[in-house]
Amino acid sequence: MSGGATSPKPGVLSALAVYLERRSLVMLALGFASGLPNLLIFDTLSAWLRDAGLSLEVIAVFGLATLAYSAKFIWAPLVDRTEVPILTKWLGHRRSWMLVTQALIVLGLWLVAGSDPTSGLGMMALFAVFVGFMGATQDIVIDAWRIEAAPQTEQGALAASYQWGYRFATIAAGAIPLVLAEQFSWHLSYAVMGALMLIGVAGVLGAPREAAHQIRPIHAEGLAARPAREIPEWIGRLLLFVIGAVLVGSGLAANASILSAGLSALGQPEAAANLAAAWTAKPAGVFVQLLGVLAGGLVIVLAAMPLPGAKTRPGVYLGAALGDPLKDFFARYGRTAGMILALICLYRLTDFVLNIMNPFYLDLGFSKTQIAEVRKVFGVIATMAGVFLGGFAVVRLGLMRALIIGAFAGPLSQFMFVWLAIAGPDVGVLVAAIGVDNICAGFAGTCLIAYMSSLTRVGFTATQYALFSSLYSLPGKLLASQSGRVVESAAKSADTGGAFAGLKALFANTPAEAFAAAVAKSNVSPAALGTGYIVFFTYSALLGIAAIVLVFLVAAQPSTKSSVESEAEAETKTAAA
């Protein structure tokens, strides 16, 4: 990254000390507050519903309560532009929003705690959706505060602290409610979990105030207020926003239940069933989901566009609220903007296509207990170690150097799985492979969060970051739908003397129990299935080349100096003067 003299890099102890600073400890609490409602609504609530005797089909619909997390960028401009009465003057723009969302999450969880799924399922579902919406809004604000409250050099450490807190919350939300429900009741369990949100409240009250918030003006001069005409227009535009949000969220969440329910309510049960079937079809369903995302995006654009031949206040306001953050990004980065967006979308591609790992471990001959112990216990520890190292690297080496290392780490870690495929059901190799891969994934993820944070600008922080975080998984989701096909196609090619047949020799000394069920499951020989997996992991590693090339191209561009970095340098020069 070019742009003049750079300040000396901090030493090892100074880089580690960032984790003990006030902002990092606050992010630990805020990460906990972020993870708690998500898991309570998305996962733990299903145990309560099943305990109450509800069907799995009904329980699955409750997963839609977290749909808001997939489409949160749509109302992020509201968070950027709206002040909270009284609280904003006391706490600042971001902290006031955090406190309000946390109070509403507590209220929502207590309303869920007071509900009865056997007699008031509809109200419980409504409360769960409310918690999901407020949880997603809290995430928008936490990300914005993190970006605005610290310089770029500390973003990696803050992102790491956030992920540690989030992980602690998932452990707490996955275990404590079950224990309390077993000993007392689900009602008490959720009431207690609501009270645990006070950890997040303490984080907000202990957080330093972010820099003075700047609300970007919307120019509607010369447009007189005409409520009689504007109210119907507002209603129509907001209705389009809701439709677009449902389409986008349904596509990103891979769940068309709301769309199907809407068609059924309109008297089209056959169309509803066909849509649900197309949405979940394997592997083509992912392309239908992508169409849903694109269609939803188009509807949202239409909702924000000015009326043909008429300039109205609703059109000006919505066009500026959604369009200005994008215009600002492209204006600052110019021709490099496209490369930056491509880098965001492709940086974690290698990790996102690894959606067949449990079948791989089972095909190798590992027991379910072995997989659970290594992947869910040791793997979590390894991931958090990688998160920590990523934050340290951003502080110690600088953002772009850390980002380059992360770009190499993901693809190179894939060859650990090639070794595992050849070694067979060896627990030691399994530990090494999962350990290296999870450390690399945690490292790269933290670097990407820090990088996306550096691309935002004060006044548009919430909107821009929410958009980046919604975009970065889309290509991986598309390619992940083909992972199983890559394995089986390569395996069949190896068995029929195709291009990969020579790789079967690598399995000459592999234990016999490895891929022993291959013939029954995939109609190929064990060595051929092993070859299929080797080809797949090589393919997933090669997918990372695009990100490696892009990160070097982006780093070489003078225009990639972020506004955050420029502001940090300006502050340093001012202090020196």
Side-chain angles (χ1 to χ4, degrees):
M1 184 180 294
S2 59
T6 58
S7 56
K9 300 299 179 185
V12 173
L13 293 179
S14 297
L16 291 174
V18 173
Y19 284 104
L20 298 177
E21 291 184 359
R22 177 182 173 187
R23 284 182 291 237
S24 296
L25 298 177
V26 165
M27 281 308 300
L28 198 64
L30 295 179
F32 184 90
S34 178
L36 201 66
N38 192 334
L39 195 77
L40 286 173
I41 297 304
F42 182 71
D43 184 73
T44 307
L45 188 60
S46 64
W48 183 356
L49 298 176
R50 191 59 169 172
D51 208 23
L54 273 68
S55 69
L56 294 176
E57 183 177 358
V58 171
I59 292 171
V61 173
F62 266 72
L64 294 175
T66 57
L67 202 65
Y69 286 91
S70 299
K72 60 187 179 183
F73 67 90
I74 296 172
W75 64 92
L78 181 69
V79 176
D80 270 333
R81 293 184 174 275
T82 307
E83 293 185 347
V84 179
I86 301 175
L87 286 179
T88 296
K89 291 183 179 179
W90 178 37
L91 295 172
H93 191 88
R94 302 304 184 190
R95 292 194 303 164
S96 61
W97 265 98
M98 280 193 279
L99 197 61
V100 168
T101 56
Q102 288 172 353
L104 293 175
I105 289 170
V106 172
L107 174 62
L109 289 175
W110 283 348
L111 289 172
V112 171
S115 304
D116 186 348
T118 58
S119 60
L121 185 63
M123 290 305 297
M124 177 180 266
L126 184 63
F127 297 147
V129 170
F130 176 75
V131 172
F133 180 80
M134 297 316 304
T137 306
Q138 179 191 221
D139 283 4
I140 294 171
V141 192
I142 289 175
D143 286 329
W145 177 85
R146 170 179 56 80
I147 294 168
E148 293 177 355
Q152 176 184 310
T153 53
E154 295 184 17
Q155 289 300 320
L158 294 188
S161 296
Y162 173 88
Q163 292 177 82
W164 273 76
Y166 195 99
R167 180 62 64 179
F168 291 146
T170 60
I171 295 171
I176 294 175
L178 299 178
V179 174
L180 291 176
E182 184 75 25
Q183 297 297 321
F184 302 100
S185 70
W186 281 107
H187 304 287
L188 176 66
S189 172
Y190 266 71
V192 170
M193 298 312 290
L196 281 182
M197 281 296 297
L198 292 175
I199 294 174
V201 173
V204 173
L205 297 178
R209 189 166 180 153
E210 74 275 8
H213 184 70
Q214 179 183 359
I215 297 179
R216 304 283 176 170
I218 294 178
H219 299 288
E221 297 85 355
L223 293 175
R226 298 176 179 176
R229 294 178 56 182
E230 290 175 1
I231 290 175
E233 183 182 344
W234 274 114
I235 293 173
R237 288 180 182 276
L238 292 177
L239 181 60
L240 284 175
F241 269 110
V242 171
I243 294 172
V246 170
L247 283 167
V248 171
S250 298
L252 293 174
N255 192 322
S257 297
I258 292 180
L259 296 173
S260 297
L263 289 173
S264 297
L266 294 173
Q268 300 293 327
E270 185 176 347
N274 291 336
L275 178 65
W279 213 267
T280 56
K282 301 293 183 181
V286 69
F287 296 101
V288 179
Q289 296 162 21
L290 177 62
L291 285 176
V293 173
L294 296 175
L298 179 61
V299 171
I300 291 168
V301 170
L302 290 174
M305 286 181 64
L307 294 175
K311 189 176 182 181
T312 62
R313 288 163 61 90
V316 170
Y317 183 86
L318 291 175
L322 285 173
D324 285 359
L326 291 175
K327 292 177 183 176
D328 169 79
F329 173 75
F330 283 98
R332 282 186 292 124
Y333 292 103
R335 290 178 296 178
T336 311
M339 283 195 293
I340 291 173
L341 292 177
L343 175 60
I344 290 172
C345 290
L346 300 179
Y347 190 76
R348 299 290 307 281
L349 195 58
T350 294
D351 294 322
F352 284 131
V353 299
L354 299 181
N355 61 330
I356 56 170
M357 298 310 292
N358 277 335
F360 169 59
Y361 301 138
L362 291 170
D363 284 347
L364 268 175
F366 290 106
S367 70
K368 296 181 180 66
T369 301
Q370 289 173 321
I371 297 170
E373 289 174 348
V374 177
R375 194 176 192 192
K376 299 301 183 182
V377 180
F378 174 75
V380 168
I381 296 172
T383 298
M384 300 319 295
V387 165
F388 179 88
L389 291 173
F392 172 79
V394 171
V395 176
R396 181 74 177 87
L397 304 176
L399 177 55
M400 290 310 295
R401 288 191 181 94
L403 196 69
I404 289 170
I405 294 171
F408 279 98
L412 291 176
S413 69
Q414 300 305 292
F415 294 104
M416 295 296 294
F417 293 120
V418 172
W419 176 32
L420 178 60
I422 297 171
D426 185 318
V427 174
V429 180
L430 177 67
V431 168
I434 289 179
V436 170
D437 182 65
N438 285 21
I439 288 173
C440 290
F443 184 99
T446 301
C447 294
L448 181 60
I449 290 172
Y451 179 63
M452 292 191 299
S453 301
S454 77
L455 300 173
T456 64
R457 188 169 189 171
V458 174
F460 299 131
T461 310
T463 307
Q464 290 173 338
Y465 187 84
L467 185 61
F468 295 149
S469 61
S470 296
L471 282 177
Y472 86 105
S473 63
L474 275 179
K477 183 177 180 180
L478 281 175
L479 288 178
S481 67
Q482 307 300 314
S483 296
R485 180 172 293 184
V486 171
V487 174
E488 293 186 347
S489 297
K492 290 175 182 177
S493 171
D495 246 1
T496 56
F500 306 115
L503 296 176
K504 290 169 64 175
L506 295 172
F507 297 90
N509 297 318
T510 301
E513 61 267 30
F515 309 111
V519 176
K521 292 179 180 179
S522 302
N523 296 318
V524 294
S525 66
L529 185 58
T531 297
Y533 278 115
I534 284 181
V535 171
F536 168 73
F537 291 124
T538 304
Y539 151 81
S540 65
L542 292 175
L543 288 177
I545 292 177
I548 293 172
V549 172
L550 281 169
V551 76
F552 278 111
L553 289 175
V554 168
Q557 301 299 316
S559 62
T560 59
K561 174 165 288 201
S562 71
S563 61
V564 176
E565 184 181 14
S566 299
E567 289 166 7
E569 288 183 357
E571 290 173 3
T572 301
K573 291 177 181 178
T574 301

